[in-house]
Amino acid sequence: EAGVAQSPRYKIIEKRQSVAFWCNPISGHATLYWYQQILGQGPKLLIQFQNNGVVDDSQLPKDRFSAERLKGVDSTLKIQPAKLEDSAVYLCASSPSVDSEAFFGQGTRLTVV
Amino acid sequence: KQEVTQIPAALSVPEGENLVLNCSFTDSAIYNLQWFRQDPGKGLTSLLLIQSSQREQTSGRLNASLDKSSGRSTLYIAASQPGDSATYLCAGINAGKSTFGDGTTLTVKP
């Protein structure tokens, strides 16, 4: 079974630039999550989708972050404009349904300089 | 608001030792408790998932327990090996939202 796919693996951008990350969840998984993991900390939930609808985006900095899952399958997370403090690993996860086991991708490491 | 704490932040043991990693959470209304392993520069690998109706789960040398009344979970690793060196994260799950601790970084010395 293929796992959660994320791209790119690494990205370096200058502050105030924009960047986009892509996630393809495990086939058939209805729930998709984006997490931000700052070095030395545990992941923090940014947004949760159930199919193509947003379940929770209370922790998403909506002035600069946006995410979509238009067809209920893959998803993109965008940052515009980026700040230095956005440097982190962005993890995508999926699960068959809410409260079932979540499976994580390898993450995208973003460095903002 | 759920808060998850993991103690210790770092642990170094000689190969072959049995060890326990601790995880505490403030809101006992969690649905599941999940333990993950994270290698440097990698994503999270799920180790064990304990559902709210369960008290423990076992996989090979790993055993995880859950005590919702005291707000605690432990991950027991038997006969540790250098390949066990990684960061171990626990997450309390409620309504599909996972709240993570900051992890315990384990080093197993040959």
Side-chain angles (χ1 to χ4, degrees):
Chain A
E1 175 181 84
V4 177
Q6 290 189 246
S7 66
R9 286 296 314 278
Y10 306 94
K11 190 74 176 179
I12 301 175
I13 62 172
E14 295 182 348
K15 59 183 179 183
R16 292 188 289 275
Q17 285 187 324
S18 63
V19 64
F21 313 127
W22 175 81
C23 172
N24 190 15
I26 293 172
S27 177
H29 281 196
T31 310
L32 185 147
Y33 312 83
W34 283 102
Y35 288 86
Q36 180 192 58
Q37 186 177 22
I38 293 172
L39 186 64
Q41 299 180 15
K44 289 181 172 52
L45 181 67
L46 291 175
I47 189 167
Q48 176 186 350
F49 292 93
Q50 184 69 16
N51 296 309
N52 61 348
V54 176
V55 174
D56 183 353
D57 63 357
S58 58
Q59 300 303 309
L60 188 73
K62 298 181 187 61
D63 58 334
R64 298 184 300 106
F65 286 64
S66 64
E68 59 183 16
R69 193 185 184 198
L70 292 176
K71 297 183 179 179
V73 182
D74 55 351
S75 175
T76 56
L77 176 69
K78 297 179 182 178
I79 307 175
Q80 183 180 11
K83 293 184 175 182
L84 295 176
E85 58 261 36
D86 297 332
S87 295
V89 176
Y90 291 84
L91 295 163
C92 180
S94 70
S95 63
S97 62
V98 170
D99 286 331
S100 55
E101 185 174 2
F103 297 85
F104 282 75
Q106 294 283 355
T108 296
R109 181 177 297 276
L110 173 68
T111 302
V112 182
V113 297
Chain B
K1 177 185 175 184
Q2 178 74 272
E3 293 184 3
V4 178
T5 303
Q6 292 187 247
I7 294 174
L11 180 64
S12 180
V13 300
E15 181 177 4
E17 270 202 9
N18 303 325
L19 59 101
V20 175
L21 306 180
N22 297 295
C23 171
S24 62
F25 45 92
T26 55
D27 185 355
S28 63
I30 61 169
Y31 192 80
N32 295 328
L33 192 291
Q34 193 166 3
W35 282 91
F36 296 87
R37 169 184 172 138
Q38 187 171 36
D39 292 288
K42 303 290 187 181
L44 276 65
T45 300
S46 179
L47 297 174
L48 291 164
L49 174 73
I50 311 174
Q51 296 180 340
S52 60
S53 59
Q54 300 172 322
R55 293 190 64 85
E56 65 178 324
Q57 281 285 342
T58 298
S59 176
R61 296 182 293 106
L62 306 180
N63 176 274
S65 67
L66 174 63
D67 184 344
K68 292 179 63 177
S69 62
S70 66
R72 293 181 182 179
S73 176
T74 60
L75 178 66
Y76 175 82
I77 302 177
S80 58
Q81 303 171 357
D84 294 332
S85 298
T87 296
Y88 291 81
L89 295 148
C90 68
I93 305 169
N94 193 359
K97 292 187 292 186
S98 295
T99 302
F100 284 84
D102 287 337
T104 295
T105 299
L106 172 66
T107 302
V108 181
K109 298 180 179 179

